[in-house]
Amino acid sequence: MAVTEGILRRQSARESAARTYARALPIVPVRARGLTIEGADGRRYLDCLSGAGTLALGHNHPVVLEAIRKVLDSGAPLHVLDLATPVKDAFITELFHTLPPGLADRARVQFCGPAGTDAVEAALKLVRAATGRSGILAFTGAYHGMTAGALAASGGACDVSVTRLPYPQDYRCPFGVGGERGAELAARWTESVLDDPKSGVRHPAGMILEPVQGEGGVIPAPDTWLRRMRQITAARSIPLIADEVQTGVGRTGAFWAVEHSGVTPDVMVLSKAIGGSLPLAVVVYRDDLDVWEPGAHAGTFRGNQLAMAAGTATLAYVRRHHLSERAATLGSRMLSQLRDLAGEFACIGDVRGRGLMMGMEMVAAGARAGGGSAGDSGSSGAADPGGDLAGDLVDVEVAGARQSMGGPRPAAPELAAAVQRECLRRGLIVELGGRHSSVVRLLPPLTITDEQASAVLDRLADAVESVASSHAPHDDPRQPQRRRRRQGDRAERAG
Ligand code: PMP
């Protein structure tokens, strides 16, 4: 305990105020395997943060460790800039093996700096060079990284102007309709911005999007919308960049998330899981965009041999063991269990996700957006199978998502933070995200077992229950009933 406290004390005294995860998760990991992390104090945690979605195979998977050891034992150089090596050759072969058809046979890969944000910078630079245009189309709620100005400060002409377009979302649809209709309106807005000569937006160099927004709050784009974006960009010769930094390598239930819609992007930005837990990022693009002069995009750390070996092992394992299919099945089962939980607790406004990328948006249980009337406390009756939870609020279905009349309830970041804290107390690590930091996110490794998934959901349910009861506007006599029901479910599973 003293070791843990000392390290944490020194961390807060010495590290930047910009530190993030370390604030919400005051633990000192010393050992890890698969889903489990062990702290210096001997406590064990189920890790559903997975290095912000990096650890497709969990911590220290044997095939990853073996691949790293093999390179170390072989005497191969660990740092070689962008020189060719057998390790790199094998990585590219395995990576190209996984690419969506249409890109695989005409792909070029650029090894950029080792972070996702480096690959984004490279991709933006690439499409600007290839088109001779400068502006970029991006979407509300998008997250593509944190570098700003490195290129501009290096004397490059890099004042990228970004036009932000609506990303389709059901729960907080900017058009108030959600579903296919909301997505259609979002697509039309994009079209009109491009075609209206007075929109103020010049013909752009590219469009960048996440097939499922991660940091934006786990928002999967409808496949039809993604296909529309592909048509709209193709018809206007605008390169489409898919940022698969977080969604890639099986996470969403397909090897690459664009496969759900059958869309082939012109450029893909990849990082996180492709390095098998070590830093690695690449841009993959169609050969006709490869207009770069030698040295047009460089970087010292483009040749991390250990990351490439770990990445090759990870890509091959996910492919051979069909882990994307596993993510699809287990993810939809976990999502449906989370939806059951949302039926019990009014403070869960929405549950959404794709594959093993799941989110639960916490909302103010007692108030409506835009100001609710007195007596607005209570739970939703809409999703209550037992009929014993009927509350004062009338909830309605909007495109499959539960909303109270008058729109979604206000986001509740304090409840999300409380759930994260209560999860940690119960030995479960979860991530927060979303526009208002009100989305509790689960990104378990694709190797998570059924039993582990049940343990994760049990701990999460207990945490939500504890937060709901301590934040309830008044004592809720239904709490013990809920608990009994869930304990019964658990006993059934155990039996
Ligand atoms: N793109 C997406 C979709 C991401 O989720 C992230 C990181 N969360 C990035 C880019 C940036 O990656 P990095 O933090 O490695 O720079």
XYZ file of all heavy atoms in Angstrom, residues 50-135:
621
model
N -8.325 -1.338 -21.938
C -7.432 -1.969 -22.925
C -6.528 -0.965 -23.625
O -6.434 -0.955 -24.859
C -8.254 -2.722 -23.982
O -8.991 -3.764 -23.417
N -5.876 -0.132 -22.842
C -4.967 0.849 -23.455
C -5.698 1.700 -24.486
O -5.205 1.906 -25.597
N -6.889 2.198 -24.110
C -7.733 2.993 -25.015
C -7.994 2.242 -26.333
O -7.909 2.811 -27.418
C -7.127 4.368 -25.252
N -8.284 0.974 -26.201
C -8.667 0.191 -27.379
C -7.496 -0.411 -28.134
O -7.646 -0.918 -29.239
N -6.320 -0.373 -27.511
C -5.119 -0.833 -28.210
C -4.935 -2.352 -28.145
O -4.438 -2.962 -29.087
C -3.876 -0.161 -27.561
O -4.049 1.244 -27.662
C -2.596 -0.568 -28.241
N -5.333 -2.928 -27.009
C -4.951 -4.310 -26.741
C -5.981 -5.305 -27.271
O -6.783 -5.859 -26.511
C -4.769 -4.489 -25.229
C -3.788 -3.486 -24.599
C -3.874 -3.517 -23.087
C -2.370 -3.783 -25.067
N -5.949 -5.549 -28.563
C -6.919 -6.471 -29.159
C -6.853 -7.836 -28.483
O -7.872 -8.502 -28.297
C -6.667 -6.608 -30.656
N -5.655 -8.260 -28.104
C -5.491 -9.584 -27.493
C -5.294 -9.484 -25.983
O -4.846 -10.444 -25.347
C -4.292 -10.311 -28.115
C -4.301 -10.460 -29.638
C -3.093 -11.275 -30.108
C -5.594 -11.115 -30.121
N -5.615 -8.356 -25.410
C -5.410 -8.176 -23.977
C -3.939 -7.945 -23.671
O -3.112 -7.787 -24.571
N -3.640 -7.946 -22.370
C -2.258 -7.694 -21.954
C -1.391 -8.931 -22.166
O -1.808 -10.054 -21.854
C -2.217 -7.337 -20.463
C -2.862 -6.020 -20.150
N -2.195 -4.825 -20.236
C -4.132 -5.707 -19.767
C -3.006 -3.836 -19.898
N -4.189 -4.340 -19.613
N -0.181 -8.687 -22.651
C 0.862 -9.731 -22.674
C 0.407 -11.068 -23.241
O 0.654 -12.130 -22.646
C 1.408 -9.954 -21.251
C 2.165 -8.734 -20.751
O 2.567 -7.877 -21.542
N 2.344 -8.636 -19.458
N -0.277 -11.032 -24.356
C -0.720 -12.301 -24.962
C 0.515 -13.131 -25.337
O 1.504 -12.574 -25.853
C -1.574 -12.018 -26.199
C -2.306 -13.226 -26.680
N -1.702 -14.204 -27.419
C -3.591 -13.629 -26.499
C -2.577 -15.160 -27.678
N -3.737 -14.837 -27.127
N 0.469 -14.445 -25.111
C 1.662 -15.273 -25.392
C 2.198 -15.108 -26.819
O 3.420 -15.074 -27.004
C 1.160 -16.704 -25.166
C -0.039 -16.565 -24.289
C -0.614 -15.200 -24.497
N 1.320 -14.977 -27.825
C 1.866 -14.871 -29.193
C 2.595 -13.539 -29.401
O 3.561 -13.458 -30.175
C 0.785 -15.069 -30.308
C 0.167 -16.449 -30.239
C -0.257 -13.975 -30.315
N 2.142 -12.522 -28.691
C 2.794 -11.209 -28.790
C 4.155 -11.264 -28.099
O 5.178 -10.818 -28.648
C 1.890 -10.109 -28.172
C 2.630 -8.789 -28.055
C 0.620 -9.939 -29.005
N 4.166 -11.838 -26.886
C 5.436 -11.940 -26.148
C 6.448 -12.773 -26.938
O 7.628 -12.419 -27.037
C 5.197 -12.554 -24.768
C 4.321 -11.742 -23.807
C 4.261 -12.411 -22.441
C 4.823 -10.309 -23.670
N 5.965 -13.847 -27.522
C 6.870 -14.723 -28.276
C 7.468 -13.979 -29.472
O 8.672 -14.084 -29.751
C 6.083 -15.956 -28.745
C 6.945 -17.061 -29.286
C 6.109 -18.087 -30.043
O 4.982 -18.375 -29.603
O 6.595 -18.562 -31.090
N 6.613 -13.211 -30.160
C 7.100 -12.468 -31.334
C 8.162 -11.447 -30.935
O 9.172 -11.269 -31.626
C 5.923 -11.774 -32.019
N 7.932 -10.777 -29.806
C 8.897 -9.772 -29.339
C 10.212 -10.466 -28.955
O 11.302 -10.026 -29.346
C 8.320 -8.979 -28.141
C 7.135 -8.122 -28.606
C 9.387 -8.110 -27.491
C 6.368 -7.434 -27.495
N 10.085 -11.570 -28.203
C 11.295 -12.298 -27.763
C 12.112 -12.782 -28.956
O 13.334 -12.738 -28.951
C 10.899 -13.505 -26.911
C 10.614 -13.111 -25.496
C 10.649 -14.290 -24.534
N 10.029 -13.860 -23.293
C 8.794 -14.170 -22.929
N 8.051 -14.962 -23.689
N 8.296 -13.710 -21.804
N 11.397 -13.225 -29.991
C 12.088 -13.767 -31.165
C 12.977 -12.689 -31.802
O 14.120 -12.962 -32.167
C 11.045 -14.259 -32.179
C 11.472 -15.492 -32.929
C 10.303 -16.128 -33.626
C 10.682 -16.374 -35.080
N 9.532 -16.656 -35.910
N 12.440 -11.484 -31.903
C 13.244 -10.402 -32.486
C 14.436 -10.101 -31.579
O 15.575 -9.981 -32.041
C 12.400 -9.117 -32.682
C 13.266 -7.972 -33.183
C 11.257 -9.369 -33.645
N 14.178 -10.020 -30.266
C 15.265 -9.703 -29.327
C 16.365 -10.765 -29.400
O 17.549 -10.450 -29.463
C 14.719 -9.627 -27.894
C 13.837 -8.419 -27.570
C 13.299 -8.517 -26.147
C 14.598 -7.110 -27.752
N 15.933 -12.027 -29.438
C 16.920 -13.112 -29.428
C 17.666 -13.232 -30.753
O 18.742 -13.824 -30.817
C 16.240 -14.450 -29.107
C 15.705 -14.464 -27.679
O 16.119 -13.582 -26.904
O 14.865 -15.323 -27.353
N 17.086 -12.684 -31.826
C 17.697 -12.868 -33.146
C 18.876 -11.922 -33.373
O 19.629 -12.083 -34.330
C 16.659 -12.620 -34.242
O 16.404 -11.227 -34.334
N 18.993 -10.901 -32.527
C 20.071 -9.934 -32.725
C 19.748 -8.904 -33.797
O 20.611 -8.122 -34.203
N 18.498 -8.882 -34.248
C 18.106 -7.901 -35.266
C 18.175 -6.493 -34.683
O 17.974 -6.312 -33.479
C 16.680 -8.190 -35.738
N 18.468 -5.488 -35.526
C 18.496 -4.118 -35.006
C 17.088 -3.692 -34.598
O 16.106 -4.072 -35.250
C 18.986 -3.297 -36.201
C 18.627 -4.118 -37.393
C 18.702 -5.556 -36.966
N 16.997 -2.904 -33.531
C 15.673 -2.467 -33.069
C 15.255 -1.153 -33.702
O 14.088 -0.816 -33.746
C 15.680 -2.328 -31.545
C 15.935 -3.626 -30.783
C 15.892 -3.384 -29.282
C 14.924 -4.701 -31.181
N 16.258 -0.409 -34.175
C 15.913 0.883 -34.760
C 16.588 1.032 -36.119
O 17.812 0.988 -36.205
C 16.371 2.018 -33.845
C 16.000 3.358 -34.403
N 14.766 3.911 -34.181
C 16.671 4.207 -35.195
C 14.700 5.073 -34.828
N 15.839 5.269 -35.451
N 15.775 1.216 -37.148
C 16.376 1.268 -38.492
C 15.747 2.352 -39.371
O 15.742 2.232 -40.588
C 16.235 -0.086 -39.215
C 17.131 -1.142 -38.601
C 14.790 -0.557 -39.235
N 15.180 3.407 -38.757
C 14.493 4.427 -39.562
C 13.498 3.728 -40.489
O 12.740 2.887 -40.013
C 15.520 5.272 -40.323
C 16.469 6.046 -39.394
C 17.683 6.565 -40.141
C 15.748 7.171 -38.678
N 13.535 4.027 -41.820
C 12.550 3.333 -42.672
C 13.209 2.273 -43.581
O 12.690 1.963 -44.652
C 11.724 4.332 -43.488
C 12.549 5.108 -44.509
O 13.802 5.048 -44.434
O 11.940 5.761 -45.380
N 14.318 1.729 -43.124
C 14.986 0.701 -43.936
C 14.151 -0.584 -43.977
O 13.349 -0.847 -43.074
C 16.371 0.391 -43.366
C 17.346 1.571 -43.261
C 18.718 1.091 -42.795
C 17.472 2.315 -44.591
N 14.410 -1.365 -45.027
C 13.704 -2.644 -45.159
C 14.307 -3.671 -44.211
O 15.528 -3.720 -44.036
C 13.828 -3.138 -46.596
N 13.456 -4.480 -43.600
C 13.931 -5.606 -42.767
C 12.958 -6.766 -42.970
O 11.811 -6.550 -43.382
C 13.944 -5.266 -41.261
O 12.582 -5.098 -40.831
C 14.751 -4.033 -40.934
N 13.388 -7.975 -42.645
C 12.453 -9.114 -42.741
C 11.244 -8.915 -41.829
O 10.128 -9.306 -42.178
C 13.301 -10.302 -42.263
C 14.732 -9.886 -42.463
C 14.758 -8.402 -42.285
N 11.454 -8.294 -40.668
C 10.347 -8.074 -39.718
C 9.304 -7.142 -40.339
O 8.100 -7.387 -40.288
C 10.892 -7.485 -38.394
C 9.761 -7.073 -37.472
C 11.808 -8.486 -37.703
N 9.791 -6.085 -40.977
C 8.876 -5.127 -41.608
C 8.178 -5.766 -42.818
O 6.976 -5.589 -43.025
C 9.664 -3.895 -42.058
C 8.772 -2.786 -42.590
C 9.589 -1.824 -43.410
C 9.485 -0.441 -42.859
N 10.189 0.546 -43.683
N 8.936 -6.510 -43.579
C 8.380 -7.183 -44.754
C 7.217 -8.094 -44.345
O 6.153 -8.092 -44.972
C 9.511 -7.998 -45.409
C 9.107 -8.542 -46.760
O 8.697 -7.726 -47.614
O 9.168 -9.773 -46.946
N 7.417 -8.842 -43.253
C 6.363 -9.747 -42.782
C 5.146 -8.954 -42.304
O 4.000 -9.342 -42.538
C 6.901 -10.620 -41.646
N 5.396 -7.813 -41.647
C 4.280 -6.987 -41.160
C 3.444 -6.483 -42.338
O 2.214 -6.570 -42.324
C 4.809 -5.800 -40.334
C 3.722 -4.838 -39.938
C 2.858 -5.146 -38.888
C 3.526 -3.649 -40.624
C 1.820 -4.277 -38.531
C 2.498 -2.778 -40.275
C 1.654 -3.095 -39.224
N 4.115 -5.967 -43.363
C 3.369 -5.425 -44.508
C 2.565 -6.537 -45.193
O 1.403 -6.340 -45.563
C 4.323 -4.738 -45.518
C 5.025 -3.559 -44.847
C 3.560 -4.268 -46.753
C 6.079 -2.879 -45.715
N 3.176 -7.694 -45.328
C 2.462 -8.813 -45.970
C 1.195 -9.149 -45.187
O 0.113 -9.286 -45.756
C 3.385 -10.055 -46.044
O 4.576 -9.684 -46.741
C 2.708 -11.214 -46.749
N 1.323 -9.252 -43.868
C 0.158 -9.595 -43.043
C -0.887 -8.472 -43.090
O -2.083 -8.725 -43.216
C 0.611 -9.863 -41.597
C -0.493 -10.305 -40.651
C -1.236 -11.553 -41.093
O -0.602 -12.522 -41.528
O -2.497 -11.557 -41.022
N -0.419 -7.233 -43.037
C -1.356 -6.098 -43.070
C -2.134 -6.078 -44.381
O -3.361 -5.933 -44.399
C -0.586 -4.777 -42.885
C -1.431 -3.510 -42.928
C -2.353 -3.423 -41.708
C -0.563 -2.252 -42.989
N -1.444 -6.238 -45.495
C -2.103 -6.198 -46.801
C -3.100 -7.348 -46.950
O -4.107 -7.219 -47.635
C -1.062 -6.209 -47.927
C -0.457 -4.845 -48.194
C -0.472 -3.852 -47.224
C 0.130 -4.548 -49.421
C 0.077 -2.597 -47.457
C 0.677 -3.282 -49.680
C 0.658 -2.314 -48.687
N -2.787 -8.451 -46.286
C -3.676 -9.614 -46.281
C -5.056 -9.272 -45.720
O -6.054 -9.858 -46.091
C -3.033 -10.661 -45.369
C -3.269 -12.043 -45.786
N -2.402 -12.713 -46.627
C -4.265 -12.907 -45.508
C -2.864 -13.916 -46.834
N -3.993 -14.070 -46.170
N -5.070 -8.325 -44.770
C -6.329 -8.026 -44.072
C -7.119 -6.895 -44.731
O -8.269 -6.674 -44.381
C -6.035 -7.542 -42.635
O -5.381 -6.266 -42.698
C -5.150 -8.507 -41.878
N -6.505 -6.158 -45.641
C -7.142 -4.933 -46.147
C -8.416 -5.231 -46.914
O -8.551 -6.300 -47.518
C -6.177 -4.167 -47.050
C -4.981 -3.514 -46.368
C -4.095 -2.817 -47.397
C -5.444 -2.517 -45.294
N -9.361 -4.285 -46.925
C -10.590 -4.493 -47.678
C -10.264 -4.697 -49.162
O -9.334 -4.068 -49.676
C -11.364 -3.186 -47.501
C -10.711 -2.462 -46.387
C -9.317 -2.986 -46.261
N -11.025 -5.575 -49.824
C -10.785 -5.776 -51.249
C -10.951 -4.434 -51.966
O -11.748 -3.620 -51.564
C -11.887 -6.763 -51.664
C -12.826 -6.868 -50.521
C -12.180 -6.301 -49.305
N -10.200 -4.220 -52.980
C -10.302 -2.924 -53.672
C -9.158 -2.033 -53.261
O -8.704 -1.193 -54.021
N -8.689 -2.225 -52.023
C -7.539 -1.453 -51.572
C -6.312 -2.371 -51.524
O -5.199 -1.970 -51.869
C -7.810 -0.855 -50.179
C -6.797 0.155 -49.637
C -6.569 1.317 -50.604
C -7.251 0.707 -48.286
N -6.566 -3.640 -51.150
C -5.464 -4.587 -50.931
C -4.537 -4.692 -52.139
O -3.313 -4.651 -51.999
C -6.020 -5.956 -50.573
N -5.124 -4.805 -53.344
C -4.275 -5.039 -54.513
C -3.605 -3.777 -55.044
O -2.743 -3.862 -55.909
C -5.053 -5.738 -55.645
C -6.535 -5.711 -55.443
O -6.931 -5.824 -54.270
O -7.299 -5.562 -56.425
N -4.030 -2.619 -54.550
C -3.429 -1.384 -55.067
C -2.904 -0.506 -53.934
O -2.876 0.719 -54.044
C -4.479 -0.595 -55.848
C -5.015 -1.316 -57.077
C -5.893 -0.389 -57.885
N -5.238 0.857 -58.237
C -5.860 1.909 -58.769
N -7.166 1.857 -58.982
N -5.200 3.007 -59.074
N -2.520 -1.161 -52.835
C -2.191 -0.370 -51.645
C -0.729 0.048 -51.588
O 0.164 -0.660 -52.064
C -2.545 -1.168 -50.399
N -0.520 1.201 -51.019
C 0.802 1.660 -50.610
C 0.706 1.919 -49.114
O -0.352 2.303 -48.622
C 1.165 2.980 -51.296
C 1.460 2.859 -52.762
C 2.868 2.273 -52.994
N 3.149 2.201 -54.407
C 2.780 1.201 -55.201
N 2.089 0.179 -54.711
N 3.081 1.205 -56.481
N 1.809 1.711 -48.415
C 1.786 1.982 -46.985
C 2.900 2.953 -46.649
O 4.005 2.848 -47.188
C 1.899 0.671 -46.161
C 3.168 -0.116 -46.482
C 1.840 0.947 -44.657
N 2.586 3.926 -45.809
C 3.608 4.851 -45.339
C 3.724 4.696 -43.831
O 2.730 4.748 -43.108
C 3.247 6.301 -45.693
C 4.451 7.232 -45.784
C 4.728 8.017 -44.506
O 3.864 8.125 -43.648
N 5.926 8.561 -44.394
N 4.952 4.426 -43.378
C 5.206 4.336 -41.942
C 5.536 5.743 -41.471
O 6.525 6.325 -41.902
C 6.370 3.386 -41.664
C 6.001 1.947 -41.912
C 6.023 1.418 -43.192
C 5.612 1.132 -40.857
C 5.663 0.109 -43.424
C 5.254 -0.188 -41.082
C 5.278 -0.707 -42.370
N 4.655 6.268 -40.620
C 4.865 7.642 -40.155
C 5.343 7.578 -38.709
O 5.797 6.547 -38.249
C 3.560 8.417 -40.286
S 2.160 7.514 -39.625
N 5.247 8.659 -37.980
C 5.555 8.627 -36.545
C 4.652 7.597 -35.876
O 3.670 7.155 -36.477
N 4.946 7.207 -34.651
C 4.298 6.028 -34.084
C 2.903 6.215 -33.498
O 2.299 5.243 -33.061
C 5.275 5.620 -32.964
C 5.962 6.876 -32.578
C 6.028 7.728 -33.796
N 2.352 7.417 -33.486
C 1.038 7.612 -32.867
C -0.055 7.757 -33.917
O 0.206 8.117 -35.066
C 1.065 8.847 -31.979
N -1.281 7.523 -33.492
C -2.426 7.664 -34.391
C -2.488 9.057 -34.995
O -2.760 9.236 -36.184
N -2.202 10.040 -34.158
C -2.283 11.424 -34.631
C -1.257 11.701 -35.734
O -1.494 12.493 -36.647
C -2.127 12.394 -33.425
O -2.538 13.682 -33.797
C -0.700 12.419 -32.895
N -0.107 11.015 -35.689
C 0.911 11.165 -36.744
C 0.362 10.658 -38.072
O 0.601 11.243 -39.129
C 2.179 10.367 -36.404
C 2.822 10.809 -35.106
O 2.885 12.021 -34.861
O 3.249 9.934 -34.331
N -0.360 9.546 -38.008
C -0.918 8.969 -39.227
C -2.011 9.875 -39.799
O -2.157 10.011 -41.016
C -1.465 7.568 -38.944
N -2.751 10.523 -38.895
C -3.782 11.464 -39.367
C -3.119 12.634 -40.080
O -3.523 13.032 -41.178
C -4.659 11.943 -38.181
C -5.561 13.092 -38.601
C -5.486 10.783 -37.631
N -2.088 13.190 -39.453
C -1.359 14.314 -40.086
C -0.840 13.896 -41.463
O -0.954 14.635 -42.434
C -0.156 14.733 -39.231
C -0.498 15.300 -37.874
C -0.448 16.830 -37.831
O -0.415 17.457 -38.907
O -0.459 17.377 -36.715
N -0.282 12.694 -41.509
C 0.277 12.217 -42.779
C -0.818 12.079 -43.832
O -0.633 12.449 -44.997
C 0.987 10.876 -42.556
N -1.962 11.546 -43.420
C -3.059 11.334 -44.376
C -3.575 12.665 -44.924
O -3.839 12.809 -46.126
C -4.194 10.565 -43.697
N -3.698 13.658 -44.037
C -4.189 14.964 -44.490
C -3.198 15.587 -45.470
O -3.578 16.158 -46.499
C -4.414 15.906 -43.300
C -5.427 15.435 -42.240
C -5.637 16.515 -41.185
C -6.757 15.061 -42.870
N -1.924 15.423 -45.141
C -0.886 15.965 -46.014
C -0.909 15.253 -47.373
O -0.766 15.884 -48.423
C 0.462 15.729 -45.323
C 1.503 16.731 -45.646
C 2.647 16.559 -44.659
C 3.961 16.843 -45.336
N 5.096 16.529 -44.458
N -1.108 13.952 -47.314
C -1.126 13.157 -48.550
C -2.252 13.619 -49.487
O -2.012 13.865 -50.677
C -1.334 11.674 -48.213
C -1.479 10.764 -49.432
C -0.105 10.412 -49.996
C -2.245 9.487 -49.098
N -3.474 13.740 -48.968
C -4.573 14.096 -49.875
C -4.434 15.530 -50.378
O -4.869 15.845 -51.490
C -5.965 13.857 -49.233
C -6.189 12.380 -48.983
C -6.183 14.666 -47.954
N -3.811 16.374 -49.576
C -3.585 17.743 -50.046
C -2.565 17.737 -51.185
O -2.729 18.436 -52.181
C -3.111 18.631 -48.902
C -4.185 18.779 -47.830
C -3.654 19.514 -46.627
N -3.974 20.918 -46.703
C -3.183 21.900 -46.303
N -1.993 21.624 -45.818
N -3.558 23.144 -46.405
N -1.542 16.906 -51.034
C -0.540 16.825 -52.108
C -1.155 16.214 -53.362
O -0.911 16.668 -54.484
C 0.650 16.003 -51.638
N -1.976 15.202 -53.160
C -2.521 14.477 -54.313
C -3.564 15.284 -55.073
O -3.692 15.149 -56.289
C -3.128 13.146 -53.845
N -4.323 16.127 -54.356
C -5.394 16.866 -55.038
C -4.982 18.295 -55.386
O -5.650 18.949 -56.186
C -6.658 16.952 -54.136
O -6.292 17.647 -52.932
C -7.208 15.582 -53.803
N -3.951 18.787 -54.719
C -3.578 20.194 -54.922
C -4.574 21.132 -54.261
O -4.545 22.347 -54.462
N -5.463 20.574 -53.457
C -6.442 21.418 -52.749
C -6.070 21.423 -51.264
O -5.185 20.696 -50.839
C -7.853 20.857 -52.973
C -8.220 20.740 -54.463
C -9.682 20.389 -54.672
N -10.055 19.068 -54.240
C -10.196 18.001 -55.042
N -9.974 18.121 -56.351
N -10.566 16.835 -54.557
N -6.802 22.239 -50.451
C -6.321 22.326 -49.072
C -7.338 21.976 -47.993
O -6.981 21.400 -46.978
C -5.745 23.728 -48.814
O -6.789 24.655 -48.789
N -8.599 22.325 -48.170
C -9.571 22.153 -47.079
C -9.893 20.691 -46.800
O -9.738 19.811 -47.648
